[in-house]
Amino acid sequence: MIKNTELLERVNQDGITCQKILVAVDYEDITPEIFDTGLRLAKNYGSEIRVFYSLQKPLIPYSNTFIYGNLSGYGGVYSPEMMEIEQQLTEEVQNQLQTWLDGFVRRSREEGIRATADYHIGEPGEAICRVAEDWGADLIVIGRHARGGISELLLGSVSNYVIHHAKCSVLVVKP
């Protein structure tokens, strides 16, 4: 098995270049290793990094909640107070998420690497592939959860989707 540092040395020796590296992060324990791998590659190549996070579900799950305060026909509606609370919660979560992503950008810039970060709501595998293609990424660095077998079959695998659908090279960082 090739470790990430061995891979970096091999890639550098082969003269391969990457101008744009998309680093797909998650709120998982492996994210620091994924980011560090992307950062080391960017330093070796003088690449630009785009740190990307994809939320599969909306930030606040209240939009399907039945509010009893004001009934309007069959489905009910939000009271103005509930809508305001939901908006405040959504903004708080967005701010926390952006602060987390900005930490990756700050660290990249401290290392002299050009970096940006953003997030999208939607199917993670599809979003990662779309953003990588739209941005013109040469490489996607992504992690892999430790699940396998039936669990992976039933739940799917974002990294597996990205490997099979991305238009650029993909480096999978294992836990």
Side-chain angles (χ1 to χ4, degrees):
M1 172 185 249
I2 298 174
K3 294 289 183 191
N4 289 338
T5 53
E6 294 172 25
L7 175 66
L8 293 173
E9 290 170 11
R10 280 190 189 180
V11 169
N12 237 0
Q13 290 170 356
D14 292 340
I16 300 170
T17 61
C18 294
Q19 298 302 309
K20 294 182 173 184
I21 300 172
L22 181 74
V23 180
V25 295
D26 196 357
Y27 279 123
E28 299 294 325
D29 293 335
I30 191 172
T31 287
E33 188 175 343
I34 297 166
F35 176 74
D36 289 345
T37 300
L39 188 61
R40 284 194 307 259
L41 283 166
K43 286 173 78 172
N44 283 349
Y45 294 125
S47 307
E48 178 180 357
I49 286 182
R50 183 170 182 179
V51 180
F52 180 74
Y53 178 65
S54 181
L55 297 128
Q56 190 157 1
K57 297 178 182 172
L59 293 171
I60 302 295
Y62 297 116
S63 58
N64 292 328
T65 304
F66 185 82
I67 306 300
Y68 291 97
N70 289 325
L71 294 178
S72 173
Y74 179 71
V77 296
Y78 282 124
S79 67
E81 296 84 15
M82 194 62 185
M83 291 175 72
E84 184 178 323
I85 290 170
E86 181 177 6
Q87 180 64 33
Q88 289 172 351
L89 289 172
T90 299
E91 288 174 9
E92 285 178 29
V93 172
Q94 285 174 325
N95 289 338
Q96 290 172 359
L97 178 57
Q98 194 60 56
T99 298
W100 177 68
L101 291 170
D102 289 345
F104 294 114
V105 172
R106 204 171 20 264
R107 183 157 166 232
S108 299
R109 291 180 179 163
E110 288 169 358
E111 299 285 335
I113 304 298
R114 288 176 298 150
T116 58
D118 64 345
Y119 65 92
H120 293 273
I121 298 172
E123 182 61 40
E126 292 172 10
I128 291 166
C129 290
R130 184 180 60 253
V131 168
E133 185 175 0
D134 291 348
W135 185 55
D138 301 301
L139 177 68
I140 298 170
V141 179
I142 190 169
R144 180 178 187 281
H145 293 281
R147 69 174 174 249
I150 297 295
S151 177
E152 186 170 337
L153 179 66
L154 295 175
L155 299 175
S157 165
V158 173
S159 59
N160 190 43
Y161 181 93
V162 171
I163 288 168
H164 289 94
H165 293 90
K167 305 277 191 227
C168 63
S169 296
V170 179
L171 174 62
V172 179
V173 179
K174 291 176 75 171

